Amino acid sequence: MNKSLLIGTVLGAVGVTAGGAVATYSLVDRGPEYAEVLAVQPVKETIKTPRQVCKDVAVTHQRPVKDTHQIAGTAIGAIAGGLLGNQIGGGNGKKIATVAGAIGGGYAGNKVQEGMQERDTYTTTETRCSTVNDTSEKVVGYDVKYLLDGKAGQVRMDRDPGSQIPVDKSGRLILGQQ
């Protein structure tokens, strides 16, 4: 056999064996391509949105009082009471009845006018507004529990990864968008 042919065959066999060993080594050396997802928990944030609510309400107002001391009611009551008292008795009794009637009538007239002023009201419709908060929830991320090379871990992600998380050649999770 030719010496060159023999050397070529041996070198070829060594090359094929070395290539196979390198290929096998790279396959064996690589860790898992994915981490197994064990649980996914959405992380939520409560959002409060203020808004204004208005409604019309009936409001009762008291009219302004023009005669705060009820002088008109007192005077009219005193005159009426005095006239009625004057109709009773005679002589000095008539004078006493007139004075007593005037005093009683004045007091009664004062109270009547006071009651009328308190009941002298009017109603208007006014718009009353208040601020209320509408609440809603927004998912801001996901807490993911995973298993990688027999070790459990947890990471927060911006999306639900599904059943697996990709792993790079160094054995780190690939958390970015795929």
Side-chain angles (χ1 to χ4, degrees), residues 60-78:
T60 302
H61 303 277
Q62 186 171 0
R63 292 199 191 277
V65 177
K66 295 175 183 160
D67 184 5
T68 56
H69 298 292
Q70 295 90 21
I71 294 172
T74 303
I76 293 170

Side-chain angles (χ1 to χ4, degrees), residues 1 8-9 24 30 56 63 67 74 91 98 107 138-139 175:
M1 188 184 249
T9 305
T24 303
R30 279 187 92 184
D56 291 336
R63 292 199 191 277
D67 184 5
T74 303
T98 302
Y107 180 77
K138 176 184 174 187
V139 175
L175 301 176

Side-chain angles (χ1 to χ4, degrees), residues 10-113:
V10 171
L11 286 177
V14 169
V16 168
T17 305
V22 168
T24 303
Y25 177 76
S26 66
L27 287 176
V28 170
D29 186 46
R30 279 187 92 184
E33 292 182 29
Y34 293 96
E36 178 187 355
V37 173
L38 302 174
V40 178
Q41 182 69 39
V43 178
K44 297 178 182 179
E45 179 180 273
T46 301
I47 298 170
K48 292 182 179 181
T49 308
R51 67 179 170 94
Q52 203 171 44
V53 176
C54 298
K55 58 184 175 181
D56 291 336
V57 294
V59 179
T60 302
H61 303 277
Q62 186 171 0
R63 292 199 191 277
V65 177
K66 295 175 183 160
D67 184 5
T68 56
H69 298 292
Q70 295 90 21
I71 294 172
T74 303
I76 293 170
I79 292 169
L83 289 173
L84 286 173
N86 192 33
Q87 302 298 319
I88 300 173
N92 282 335
K94 192 173 202 163
K95 290 177 185 175
I96 292 173
T98 302
V99 171
I103 292 172
Y107 180 77
N110 180 288
K111 292 299 173 190
V112 168
Q113 185 178 357

